Amino acid sequence: MEANATVALWIQYLILQVLSVTRLASSFGSDVDTWIAQYGMTRLGATAATTVETFISLSPTSTSAVVPVGAVVKTSDGTISFTVTEDTDNQYWSATAGGYVRAQGVSSITCPIECNTTGSVGNVSAGVINLLGTQISGIDTCTNLSAVSNGSDEETDSAVKSRMVLWFSSLSSATLDAVEASISGVASNLTYQVIQNETPDGLYRAGYFFATIDDGSGDVPDTTLTSVESAIEATRACGVETSTVRATVIAAVIVVPVSLAAGVELASVQTAVSSAITAYINALTVGGVCQYTTISSIALQSAGSLVTSVGVVTVNGVVADIGGSTGTVVRVTSVTVNDTDA
C-alpha cells in the first residue's frame, strides 16, 4: 500500500508539472518562452541606457579637441562604462574628424553616449559618469548633467504574460488593443498613450489617431519612432490616418525639506532621497500624474532613520501635482534636499 501510494504521489506530481507548463499563467522562466514561441512571439530583450555626456576643457583657449566615436567614459566607481555614439545631427559632429569637435575657445561640448551593458544598470544619477575611460587630447573631464533612466532589463515573466493577453485581444486587428499591442511589442522600455479623433495640436479630426511615446529618457530616438510607426501601420484600419510623436516632457524640479537626525550628513540623505524620487518620477507613463504626496512618502521611506521628519515638498515651486494631461510625460530635472535646521 505504501509503495502504491508513493507511485500515485509521484504520478500526481508529474501531472501537476505538465499542467503548470501547458498554461501561460502558471508557467515561469524558460517555460514562458517556449509557450509564447508557439505563436511566433519572443521575450523582449534588455535595452541599453542612453544619454548625453558633457566633455569639458579646463583651458579651452589653448587648443581644440575631437571626441571620437567609440571613446569610453565611466561612472565614478569605474564599474559602468558608456561609449560615445554617432549623431550626425549633433552641432559638434564632423564626419571628416570622425567625432565631435570642440573648437578652440569653446569650453565644453555634449555628445550622445550608450551604456556598454544592457539593462537598468545603466540608469545612474546626474554627475555620476565623470571618468574618462579614453584619454582625449584637449579634454580634461566629463560629466552627465541629467539622470539616466531609459535602460531596461529583459522583459519579466509578468510583463510577457500581460503583453500576450493584449496580443490575443488584438487579433481582430484595427482596434485600440491591436494598436497598443503593436507598440508594446517594439521595446520593453516604452510607455505610450493613444489619442483618438484628435490631432497632436488638440483639434478634433474624425478617423485620425496619434500615439505619443516615451522610452524613459524624455527624448525618444528617431529609430524608435520609425519602429513604432511601422508597427502601427501593420494594424491600423484601411483609410484611417495616424502619426507617432514624442511625448511632451514636463520638467520636474523637486525640493524636499528635511530635519536631519543627530550626526547625519546632508549628503548621504541627498543621495538616498534623490535616487528614490528620480526612480519614481522617471518611471511614470505617458499621461501619468506626478503626485507630490507620493514624493513625500518616498522621501520619508528612502531616508528612514537618517531624518526625523520631512517637510512640505514642492514640485516646480508649488505644492501641487503635475502632469496628467494628454501626450505629456513627467521627467526629473533636479531633486534638492534642504536641511531645515541649518
Side-chain angles (χ1 to χ4, degrees):
M1 290 179 64
E2 289 180 354
N4 280 287
T6 301
V7 171
L9 289 174
W10 176 64
I11 294 174
Q12 183 183 38
Y13 168 77
L14 293 179
I15 293 172
L16 290 174
Q17 288 293 97
V18 171
L19 289 175
S20 69
V21 298
T22 53
R23 299 177 66 251
L24 179 59
S26 53
S27 297
F28 59 90
S30 60
D31 290 328
V32 172
D33 297 310
T34 304
W35 203 94
I36 65 175
Q38 302 173 88
Y39 302 95
M41 305 283 282
T42 57
R43 189 188 298 264
L44 297 176
T47 57
T50 59
T51 187
V52 292
E53 183 80 350
T54 301
F55 292 86
I56 304 166
S57 172
L58 301 180
S59 53
T61 57
S62 61
T63 183
S64 61
V66 175
V67 178
V69 171
V72 175
V73 291
K74 299 181 178 181
T75 53
S76 53
D77 59 4
T79 58
I80 307 171
S81 60
F82 290 72
T83 299
V84 174
T85 57
E86 180 180 325
D87 179 10
T88 56
D89 293 327
N90 188 294
Q91 61 177 316
Y92 304 109
W93 171 256
S94 170
T96 304
Y100 303 87
V101 176
R102 180 189 65 76
Q104 191 170 356
V106 177
S107 60
S108 65
I109 62 173
T110 56
C111 311
I113 58 173
E114 181 176 296
C115 187
N116 293 337
T117 305
T118 57
S120 59
V121 66
N123 295 339
V124 298
S125 302
V128 170
I129 312 172
N130 54 21
L131 294 180
L132 288 170
T134 301
Q135 293 304 311
I136 305 171
S137 177
I139 297 295
D140 299 302
T141 185
C142 60
T143 188
N144 59 309
L145 299 180
S146 58
V148 188
S149 59
N150 62 342
S152 64
D153 296 321
E154 183 181 64
E155 195 174 22
T156 62
D157 286 353
S158 59
V160 172
K161 294 173 183 178
S162 297
R163 186 161 62 89
M164 282 301 296
V165 170
L166 191 60
W167 182 75
F168 279 121
S169 300
S170 74
L171 292 180
S172 56
S173 291
T175 63
L176 178 60
D177 283 343
V179 173
E180 291 183 340
S182 66
I183 298 173
S184 64
V186 172
S188 59
N189 60 344
L190 289 183
T191 64
Y192 57 86
Q193 186 178 37
V194 179
I195 298 91
Q196 303 183 72
N197 299 319
E198 185 178 317
T199 69
D201 297 327
L203 302 176
Y204 174 77
R205 185 174 175 180
Y208 176 91
F209 73 87
F210 68 97
T212 56
I213 64 171
D214 186 68
D215 63 354
S217 68
D219 186 18
V220 180
D222 291 338
T223 53
T224 303
L225 279 177
T226 301
S227 297
V228 172
E229 287 175 349
S230 299
I232 293 176
E233 182 66 22
T235 59
R236 72 172 179 85
C238 179
V240 172
E241 295 180 280
T242 180
S243 63
T244 304
V245 299
R246 294 178 178 86
T248 301
V249 176
I250 299 176
V253 177
I254 313 298
V255 178
V256 183
V258 299
S259 294
L260 299 176
V264 174
E265 295 290 335
L266 181 61
S268 60
V269 177
Q270 167 74 31
T271 300
V273 172
S274 177
S275 297
I277 292 176
T278 298
Y280 158 67
I281 295 178
N282 285 352
L284 291 172
T285 60
V286 178
V289 178
C290 174
Q291 299 177 324
Y292 79 94
T293 52
T294 301
I295 295 175
S296 297
S297 299
I298 292 172
L300 187 59
Q301 292 172 7
S302 59
S305 60
L306 298 177
V307 300
T308 57
S309 65
V310 174
V312 178
V313 172
T314 59
V315 182
N316 291 345
V318 296
V319 183
D321 299 338
I322 62 172
S325 52
T326 299
T328 62
V329 65
V330 182
R331 293 292 177 253
V332 165
T333 296
S334 65
V335 178
T336 304
V337 179
N338 294 328
D339 181 6
T340 57
D341 299 324

